[in-house]
Amino acid sequence: MSVTTSEPTTGTTTGTRRKEDLRFLTGQGAYLGDYAPADLLHIAVLRSTQAHALLRNIDATSAIALPGVVAVFTGAELAESAGKFQHHLAAIPTLRQIEWDVLAIEKVKYVGEPIAAVVAESRYVAEDALDLIEVDYDELPAVVDVEAALAPGAPLLYEDWTDNLLLQMPGAHGDVDAAFSEADGVIRARFHNHRISGMPLEGHGAVAEFDASTGRLVLRASTQAPHMLRGTIAQITGLSEAQIQVIAPDTGGGFGVKNHAMREEALAAVIAMRVPHPVVWEQDRVEHLTAGIQSREQIHDAELAYRSDGRVLGLRARITADIGSPELYIIGAAPAVVTTGVMPNTYDIPNYGFELNCVVTNKCPIGGYRGYGQPQAIFTIERLMDMLAAELEMDPAEIRKLNNVADDAMPYTTATGANLDTGSFNQQLDHLLEAIDYSTLREQVEAERASGALVGLGIAQMVEPTAPNMHALAGQFGCYEMALFTVHPDGHVSLSVGTKSQGQGHETIYAKLAAEVLTIPIEHVEVYDGDTNLVPFGGGTSGSRSAVMGGGVVLKAARQARAKMIEIAAAMLGVSGEDIELRDGMFFAGEAVLPLAAVAGAAYLHTFLLPPGMDPGISMVVAYDPGNTSPFPDETGKLDVAATYATAAAAAVVSINPNTGVVTVRDLTLVHDCGNIIDETILNGQIQGAIAQAIGATFYEEIHYSDEGQPLTTTLLDYMIPACGDFPEPRLIHRETPSELIGGFRGAGEGAIIVTPPALANAVADALGHLDNAAVTQTNLGPRHIREILRANGVALDPLAGRSA
Amino acid sequence: MKPSSFEYVLARSVTEATDALSAAEEATVLAGGQSLVPLMNLRLARPDVIVDINAISDLARVEQVNGSVRLGALCRQRTLETDPDVRRVAPLLAEAASLIGHVQIRNRGTLGGSLAHADPVSELPTAVLALDGEIELTSGDGSRRIGARDLAVGALMTTIKPGELLTGVVVSAHRPGDGVSFVEFARRHGDFALVGIAAVLHRDEAGICTSARLAGAGLAGTPTDLTPSIEAIVGADVLSDDLLRTISDGVAASVDPWSDIHGSSEYRRELAQVLVVEAIRSAWARTEEQP
Amino acid sequence: MSVSFSLNGDSVVVEAEPRELFADVLRDRLGMTGTHVACEQGACGTCTVLVDGQAVRSCLLFAPQLEGCTVTSIEGVGSPGSLHPIQAALSEHHGLQCGFCTPGVVLTAIELLETEPDPDRETIERWMSGNLCRCTGYTGIVDAIAAVAAQRSAQ
């Protein structure tokens, strides 16, 4: 079924392009912090000032005495009746099992770790109280990078471990040793992926209300995964999932950062059960940047074995992931596991070996961020391919085509077990090269370079597993989605889905899908998400899964509803179901016509009209599991984790000012294939946003720690995300290769953030390629880093040449 | 984070302000608040008393007297940037102000506040230093003036005494033959600069440069007077590449900036060299503009 | 203490401590939660409101400073039945996704269009560079403002 359109999505009751626009534009959005029940009390969290220390004593006497303070809780007090967090990944035998408390009790492992909570009549007073709490720390030496953490005799985050390795996971597929011994050459490089943060504009937050008279808890949280959170809260509070309702209200961005169960969310729940008031915790920006969730930090020691004609024979990578403190669910090792799975990318590389080391350090926990381990892998392989091209003096596009999985090899099972059934990689690449007039562009760039300018052209491509089976990463869940679909007596539709929009426009796209199946106007469909009471279970929104799984289940449910209504219409018209046609919201059988509302009304209000034996109502809970994913690796370590795959290719042209190191992106073109497109405008918005984040990750954003483990990036003037005007509008070209799944979708949220950074890095490397010692092997290409590379290559400052690129 | 508690005093006159400042040990002036409140929202600043001077409309006046311009401390940065009179008589201040943050910041931020806050990367203190301006400080005992170079003694530290209010800035008015330029390097538009450079030149009717001043932001804890490095330009009637290189090299040799997460000392020094050339070229060209 | 000011055309009086940030006064004392807080440093623009016609950071103003002022927050711009041209254009050009930065964007754009009669794209980008957005990549925001500017020029 093709649903491509470039028409505006008009006809919404709101009169706006997207149904959700109206409330956001008029300040009527209902975000977490906007919910203010009477009697609300505010939580402020006391956080460790030490990177690594034993917690000897917490004295809150003065804090409790402050007027306006209702209570102060320490970890020891809560531990009496609160459960512990765990990572649930028993299935990975070499992953150390850990548990952790809502508030740290004996030891702190990073600056910012929560150690106490004040409950007061306002956040202002609560913070006044924080100032009055005295903490005795026995400081311990801290390890702030993987080298220090792995050094013999290094201080241990967990004293009962033999080292600071949370996970050591090898993998070998094909015959890697043979590939390397047969090779004509090997490209070796060490790649650094620096630490950044997904940084949604709205931080985390939770409001908890417990009614002791019913034993029920309502937890509002700014989360992407309400059902996952409900399960965690049940474990921590001891309540059952039937007693807990998690509501995720309008969410100001998530990007994977909110796909975790936060200690502070559990803290709010636990406190609400102890004080007879609703309680709120709102994460402020300092907390978000220093004690929230960070991402990406990995070092890859990678080797590419090749034949002299440019054919890659084998790939090896030692991946060292600095995951900070591991006490986070979903654990920070999960993205690193994904990194190992996707490194062969679009290439036919059956001989692939890796060793993953997840190292714990005294820093903020690493968690998810759009891309989820894939950006690091694709950066490495795409840089290696360019390095190989340079070594063999081959064109980077040619070497990719030589190595891409061939069209006639599809569907292709990768070394790690991914079952690729995408469109043609080479056709996608050709599409990109044609769109940018590649050979002419290369000539132009070379001509500019000949005149002394630092200009470069870079390309990259990627294939991305989407809609993954979360059991492999989170130790529970699967690969499915659920929806509650109801056609009301008046013929209008409510549908609730287990995904959770944080701006992706689900209210609009799901309504559109349902409306098309039922041939009714989009304004007759109301979409709900983010409420665990409205759908039995859901997988939330992450892993580019919403169109695939959410869209899929909406279509499945809508089709079931249509089928039932056709049966009812047939009975009402006295014909057979095959004679019925649904069109323009009406059921036709020859001359006879029944409006959809009449059929819906019959199902509830005039049930004598129903076919004999049919249950009244048109309402169903539907689950959709494509059934093509694995929850665990097999005995050879292969894991077919994704329901489907999206692909993309990107080309970037950059100019570098040699004096300041500023890289100006002159041109950025993406060819993007996410299968059938539901709404092209919304899709373009997703891609543009991901590109902005890619630009940020490459040229602007950095998280820094001091040698003692003190966070140095504490405000938005330290952590710089791209602002308006900082990069050009990209050119986006869509291909639609439908997937085999319901709706033919492939997933769209993450492709651009995976493929754009290596295209940019390859362009920078191209611009600097004439220098002897300008290996571009880091993701961080901000101006001062480029200037360092230039300086190291003896490119002296020329103040008279100025700063224009 | 939320700020800690304070006693709020709304001063309706300079006297009320200085009285309030004298009465309390930890009293801080609230002008634009664009530098103070961020610090308070991190609880890095916790004044016991805030003296709000925004109602003292007298402090926002701009007056020209005998070839000088006196700008009141409460002149908003947005006014400096856009007011035609200020742009005509104090173009360096207008240009420096236009680089501060974003419009929303400049709508509130003030000239006096920026100088009193003394952030080493801020633009206005460096511009005033380049103009060899004077700072007017008023207390219960009256007013005194100090040279711009004597205001800041370190990062966020000035010689303003307890009970004293910075009430005005006095600079020479722009005359024909003057050329000024303020340039800076910031990562994004409106960010704190890594380095900023202010150049003030005068060329006579024969085109000969008769005076030159140069100052830098972000190169030390206080605005840096780089005038010794630009002295070579006095007497020149042509801005040669050699001259520019000499000046730029001189600046590089005379500064020792700090390193932090935004840039190393070496990177800042390099930026200074590039910006110095840019500022001087721009100021030189502007000496030929008609007012 | 008591603070009186005009908010979206209505006179209001609030009780607040001197230290309460104006953004919090709007949100918590007056229930006007359309103004969002995202950094409390004036760095992101999310909390932007109009005070006496000028766009300012409401997280950098204390409650007493609003005495006698005329304030416009997002709740005073258009209405669900009748959107301001900027609001309509932002929707049309898909200049919003999660909506968290949107109120600040709208109010900044209002001052922009009142100040610049015929802004080119570069001018719009410079004006809007003080409003961070993590979702859209800004293209839709600039397109929307340019469209409204063009309509005004055409009139």
Side-chain angles (χ1 to χ4, degrees), chain B residues 92-126:
Chain B
L92 186 65
L93 297 186
E95 187 160 51
S98 73
L99 296 168
I100 299 172
H102 301 100
V103 169
Q104 299 95 328
I105 301 290
R106 301 197 292 278
N107 276 338
R108 298 292 306 178
T110 64
L111 170 63
S114 180
L115 262 58
H117 184 68
D119 187 313
V121 303
S122 57
E123 295 83 351
L124 288 171
T126 291

Side-chain angles (χ1 to χ4, degrees), chain A residues 26-349:
Chain A
T26 53
Q28 301 303 312
Y31 300 88
L32 190 282
D34 301 341
Y35 178 66
D39 251 27
L40 181 67
L41 293 180
H42 295 254
I43 297 171
V45 177
L46 183 69
R47 299 182 179 279
S48 170
T49 55
Q50 303 301 311
H52 197 198
L54 300 174
L55 267 185
R56 283 294 177 220
N57 191 46
I58 300 178
D59 181 356
T61 324
S62 309
I64 294 173
L66 190 68
V69 172
V70 168
V72 179
F73 294 100
T74 64
E77 285 156 2
L78 294 183
E80 286 156 24
S81 48
K84 292 177 187 289
F85 283 85
Q86 19 163 327
H87 59 55
H88 298 288
L89 278 168
I92 303 181
T94 53
L95 176 66
R96 294 203 208 251
Q97 298 302 309
I98 55 172
E99 287 185 326
W100 62 98
D101 296 288
V102 173
L103 293 174
I105 299 176
E106 280 168 12
K107 183 175 193 195
V108 288
K109 301 184 193 68
Y110 62 100
V111 173
E113 183 163 6
I115 60 178
V118 170
V119 186
E121 59 192 30
S122 75
R123 180 64 179 247
Y124 289 74
V125 171
E127 289 188 11
D128 292 343
L130 290 183
D131 288 341
L132 299 175
I133 300 178
E134 287 175 24
V135 183
D136 287 333
Y137 299 96
D138 272 355
E139 284 179 48
L140 298 168
V143 285
V144 182
D145 59 54
V146 293
E147 212 183 338
L150 292 176
L156 297 175
L157 268 73
Y158 296 88
E159 284 90 13
D160 54 338
W161 294 9
T162 50
D163 53 35
N164 283 314
L165 271 174
L166 172 74
L167 169 66
Q168 198 165 30
M169 190 175 96
H173 303 282
D175 193 339
V176 184
D177 289 338
F180 274 77
S181 58
E182 283 161 22
D184 292 325
V186 177
I187 303 279
R188 287 186 181 85
R190 168 172 270 214
F191 296 97
H192 283 86
N193 291 267
H194 66 291
R195 189 174 266 245
I196 59 176
S197 169
M199 228 236 49
L201 205 54
E202 182 204 27
H204 284 94
V207 179
E209 295 173 274
F210 180 69
D211 184 340
S213 71
T214 61
R216 292 178 183 170
L217 175 75
V218 179
L219 180 71
R220 283 173 169 74
S222 193
T223 181
Q224 296 170 226
H227 289 88
M228 172 175 86
L229 184 57
R230 187 184 69 184
T232 305
I233 298 298
Q235 279 155 26
I236 303 290
T237 60
L239 297 172
S240 82
E241 296 206 43
Q243 293 170 307
I244 300 170
Q245 179 185 14
V246 173
I247 297 172
D250 288 329
T251 302
F255 311 117
V257 177
K258 293 179 180 174
N259 199 47
H260 303 84
M262 303 293 286
R263 287 162 96 166
E264 293 91 342
E265 289 162 344
L267 180 67
V270 159
I271 287 179
M273 294 173 72
R274 284 165 174 70
V275 301
H277 288 267
V279 289
V280 62
W281 168 71
E282 273 184 270
Q283 185 190 54
D284 67 27
R285 186 58 51 196
V286 176
E287 290 178 293
H288 186 86
L289 286 173
T290 61
I293 294 175
Q294 297 171 359
S295 65
R296 301 282 199 259
E297 191 169 9
Q298 293 177 3
I299 299 175
H300 296 182
D301 291 294
E303 300 176 296
L304 197 69
Y306 62 90
R307 207 167 59 198
S308 55
D309 67 346
R311 190 74 176 80
V312 172
L313 301 179
L315 172 65
R316 272 205 291 246
R318 185 168 72 239
I319 296 155
T320 309
D322 179 334
I323 63 168
S325 163
E327 294 175 0
L328 174 68
Y329 185 70
I330 300 174
I331 199 166
V337 169
V338 172
T339 302
T340 67
V342 299
M343 203 176 280
N345 202 11
T346 57
Y347 308 111
D348 175 30
I349 307 177

Side-chain angles (χ1 to χ4, degrees), chain A residues 544-582:
Chain A
S544 303
R545 72 187 299 275
S546 295
V548 177
M549 302 304 305
V553 76
V554 168
L555 286 173
K556 182 174 176 180
R559 289 168 186 168
Q560 282 185 21
R562 179 179 64 191
K564 183 165 187 179
M565 286 195 286
I566 285 175
E567 266 191 73
I568 298 171
M572 289 167 75
L573 292 175
V575 299
S576 128
E578 286 138 19
D579 301 329
I580 298 281
E581 192 200 338
L582 173 60

